[in-house]
Amino acid sequence: MYRCLCPGAIGVSAGLEEGLRLAKLGGYQGLEVGISEVADRMDRDGKDAVLAMFHDAGITPGGFGLPVDWRSDDAAKREADLKALDRLAAAGEALGCVRTSTWIMPASNTLTKEENSALHIERFTPIARVLADHGCSLGLEFIGPATMRKDMKYPFIWDMLEMVELGERIGPNVGLLLDCWHWYTAENTAQQLRHLPKETIVYVHVNDAPAGVLVDEQVDNVRCLPGETGVIDIAAFLGALEHIGYDGPVTPEPFSAKLKGIPAEEAVKMTGAAMANIWRTAGLSE
């Protein structure tokens, strides 16, 4: 596995060239890309030119956000996005960037758990098929904090193993976007993680939780830099991923107040240093 920068996840706006520069500056090995920009660049400049940008920077293409508005109840909009996905997934395949992901709400006020499962299977199955045509995998993120579902009528999926089961019902190329924040707040364990096939983990996010807050009182968008407080056992988390042979991107998503309003280069260096520190904490090789 390798440290991967997603500029937007640390509050930084950057196109492809700037993203590559910042990833290198922060000591990252990978970069999450905007797949529409990549596809447009390939159409304009050719695949080899885009590949050369990553080669020259010494940066690995890490993944891309799922470019389908699957939450929309507008069937025509979803169908248009699905048709566009074929071109975008093909660009990802050409770049060697074959991991995409999205998150799923842990509860609903209108759908029972069974109805919600049926809806997600219906909407994700055609997406997964298009992705599979281009060798791409889809990671689904469960949302762990109890505070995200306590006031909603119908609980859905907020646990790692249940999300694995949903992915299996959708398609063989569907697994987890695994965020250590949600792993911690759902009270999942390293032992559970050690029993998953490595192919189940499509993408990984890391961060930390504020100290002095009970696990069931943690608020989703109040987080800390990876390894900052030690509330989340990041060594156990990364160690379990190393144990199963996960070889994909590990991306910081801290939602940290420390990153607000600071220059992009400073934010990248700060998160890069935190990532290097958790690598050392977990005893991982560079």
Side-chain angles (χ1 to χ4, degrees), residues 199-212:
E199 295 79 13
T200 301
I201 313 301
V202 175
Y203 208 91
V204 172
H205 287 163
V206 289
N207 36 62
D208 210 340

Side-chain angles (χ1 to χ4, degrees), residues 29 47 77 112 160 225 277 284:
Q29 291 83 44
K47 177 185 76 173
K77 173 66 166 62
T112 66
M160 179 174 71
L225 293 168
N277 183 58
L284 302 178

Side-chain angles (χ1 to χ4, degrees), residues 44-61:
R44 187 187 73 194
D45 302 329
K47 177 185 76 173
D48 290 345
V50 178
L51 289 171
M53 294 172 65
F54 283 86
H55 179 270
D56 293 347
I59 297 295
T60 298

Side-chain angles (χ1 to χ4, degrees), residues 106-108 111-113 116 149 152-158:
S108 171
L111 299 176
T112 66
K113 187 172 185 177
N116 219 347
R149 59 183 187 273
M152 302 190 79
K153 187 173 181 179
Y154 300 113
F156 185 42
I157 295 174
W158 46 271

Side-chain angles (χ1 to χ4, degrees), residues 31-43:
L31 176 69
E32 184 172 319
V33 302
I35 197 63
S36 293
E37 181 183 5
V38 167
D40 291 346
R41 287 293 192 100
M42 287 187 174
D43 289 346

